[in-house]
């Protein structure tokens, strides 16, 4: 797309683009070791620091990962394909399955769960139409795949709606939160997912054990019950190198 | 979510997080000037370089923008809400409207168009099921809002399918490519959109006139005709600071 003017690109970008092209062509396959700075520096007549900058650029793009003392390797992790619409179909959670099982065969683990009653942030109060001082049940979780943290998420539900149900427990039981909402007479019938791309905050990067220079995908999902009432807002933060979001729908 | 260990965050992150919180609280509203490095440095007992790093971090997160010589300002640009499903409904393009008009009232402009016949990249050949040496019609466009580049996109269609139609022209006529595909007897009936978050390549950043440190959202859309044949693949690159993607659907 860019007009190709005569401007020279900085060297580290030239090197990064060349390595990227070689990865895309399969010259370096998944898991392969990339040439190190000691090889790239003389090859491109640059300093080792410049070569290293090119390699770091690939890691922040999620194309490579560095291993302590061993160098840089082509990313071998196959991103999770998250099927936005199929996974939330009623026959998925209605059958007692976790919605994650729609995504793929590799199971996600939840290695951190906290459940609290609290006054949620102002934008959540507005979305859930909570009155002054009304509390929410906040469920924060971290999801991992093969021990790699891939997502953190916090769900908010009006506390008055879910008090006494398993939604206030760490284990929500078969079919999860949406099955319990159905038990309570408020099955979600409509969803909105809003997606943004951002760099992570330092807390998010720490929780996801990822570089501050690699983007995250933010998904804010609102679940609506039959009376168009918002019964849940779920704020998710996904490591962009771990996910492809997939929405399929008819014209 | 992160375990709050006693570890001190680097100063520039502390400053960036404090400014971010102040922006979210509205202390600095859209378009407001942020305190400069000469104010932040003594306030946080850091070097001007560290203060500047915090401000640059906000720009790469799309929260602020720098203006030459004038300092840093809270991002005043309201992101475009792109309605993934409604905008592709048949009664949208079927009525002769551009699919962009579903998104919002602010009109997008196309300021660059190129249309070519070419052999597409290997993954596009596979997706369009093109035989060896079969060509595609490639339509590359740049979209702007208030002269700000917000998206670049390249659509690929099997050339043999669209030869002689307005799809091979810069101006595809009312209702655009999908209306013309319908005229040709191949209306799209099903769509898949795959979304990734990445840092831009240097060419993408140049075309979108954005920082290399700010993420882009990549949307790869495949349009399928009644016989499940893929009739178009559209690879879009969106400035993440300009867009919120919105998908609404029933359970």
């Amino acid at each position: 797309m860019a007009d190709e003017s005569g401007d020279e690109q900085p060297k580290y970008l030239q090197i990064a683009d060349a390595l990227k092209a070689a990865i895309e062509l399969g010259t370096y396959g998944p898991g392969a070791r990339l040439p190190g700075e000691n090889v790239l520096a003389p090859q491109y007549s640059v300093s080792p620091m410049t070569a290293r900058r090119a390699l770091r650029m690939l890691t922040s793009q999620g194309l490579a990962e560095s291993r302590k003392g061993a160098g840089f390797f082509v990313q071998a992790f196959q991103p999770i394909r998250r099927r936005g619409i199929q996974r939330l179909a009623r026959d998925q959670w209605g059958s007692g399955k976790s919605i994650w099982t729609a995504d793929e065969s590799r199971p996600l683990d939840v290695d951190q769960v906290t459940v609290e009653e609290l006054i949620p942030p102002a934008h959540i109060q507005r979305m859930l139409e909570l009155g002054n001082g009304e509390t929410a049940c906040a469920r924060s979780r971290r999801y991992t795949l093969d021990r790699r943290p891939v997502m953190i998420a916090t769900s908010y539900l009006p506390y008055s709606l879910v008090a006494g149900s398993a939604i206030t427990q760490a284990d929500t039981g078969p079919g999860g939160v949406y099955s319990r909402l159905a038990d309570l007479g408020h099955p979600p019938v409509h969803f909105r997912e809003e997606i943004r791309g951002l760099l992570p905050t330092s807390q998010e990067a720490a929780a996801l054990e990822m570089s501050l220079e690699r983007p995250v995908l933010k998904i804010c999902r609102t679940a609506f019950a039959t009376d168009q009432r918002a019964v849940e807002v779920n704020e998710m933060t996904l490591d962009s190198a771990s996910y492809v979001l997939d929405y399929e729908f008819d014209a």
Side-chain angles (χ1 to χ4, degrees), chain A:
Chain A
M1 276 305 301
D3 288 0
E4 294 301 325
S5 59
D7 291 346
E8 276 273 295
Q9 273 185 30
K11 278 279 189 179
Y12 77 95
L13 290 180
Q14 290 180 36
I15 302 171
D17 284 350
L19 289 172
K20 196 181 160 191
I23 291 170
E24 281 169 359
L25 278 169
T27 312
Y28 304 108
R33 192 171 186 281
L34 289 168
E37 57 201 73
N38 52 335
V39 174
L40 295 171
Q43 187 184 339
Y44 287 93
S45 311
V46 297
S47 70
M49 216 182 75
T50 298
R52 204 172 170 76
R53 193 168 171 195
L55 289 163
R56 279 218 323 274
M57 182 131 192
L58 294 179
T59 62
S60 68
Q61 293 182 336
L63 292 170
E65 56 185 357
S66 67
R67 289 185 213 144
K68 263 178 278 179
F72 290 82
F73 295 80
V74 178
Q75 182 61 258
F77 183 84
Q78 274 286 96
I80 300 165
R81 179 169 293 269
R82 177 185 182 278
R83 299 189 186 280
I85 297 174
Q86 290 77 352
R87 64 205 300 282
L88 290 168
R90 185 192 295 258
D91 59 10
Q92 182 67 15
W93 48 266
S95 68
K97 282 183 268 186
S98 156
I99 57 176
W100 302 107
T101 62
D103 288 339
E104 57 177 296
S105 49
R106 292 177 294 172
L108 292 186
D109 294 306
V110 176
D111 73 343
Q112 296 173 11
V113 186
T114 61
V115 187
E116 301 169 84
E117 179 180 359
L118 46 68
I119 307 258
H123 67 285
I124 302 286
Q125 286 181 48
R126 275 195 304 275
M127 292 168 86
L128 291 178
E129 298 177 53
L130 295 182
N132 224 335
E134 258 195 275
T135 58
C137 173
R139 305 181 47 82
S140 293
R141 291 139 294 163
R142 186 172 85 159
Y143 294 86
T144 60
L145 178 57
D146 300 337
R147 265 170 295 190
R148 174 191 169 109
V150 294
M151 175 171 71
I152 51 175
T154 302
S155 275
Y156 300 91
L157 303 102
Y159 201 87
S160 59
L161 195 76
V162 301
S165 78
I167 291 173
T168 64
Q169 307 298 314
D171 181 358
T172 52
V177 163
Y178 294 148
S179 267
R180 295 300 79 68
L181 280 170
D183 298 344
L184 291 165
H186 305 287
V189 296
H190 190 75
F191 295 98
R192 180 195 295 141
E193 296 197 332
E194 293 175 286
I195 300 159
R196 289 175 178 79
L198 289 169
L199 289 183
T201 64
S202 45
Q203 289 90 339
E204 289 164 350
L208 291 168
E209 298 172 17
M210 61 183 276
S211 154
L212 277 164
E213 291 160 19
R214 191 156 81 204
V216 290
L217 291 166
K218 293 270 198 179
I219 306 178
C220 178
R221 176 168 69 225
T222 313
F224 298 91
T226 35
D227 51 1
Q228 297 183 30
R229 177 180 181 183
V231 288
E232 184 213 31
V233 177
N234 190 357
E235 294 193 313
M236 297 165 256
T237 304
L238 288 65
D239 176 356
S240 63
S242 298
Y243 274 97
V244 179
L245 312 185
D246 180 323
Y247 293 87
E248 270 199 60
F249 48 93
D250 291 332

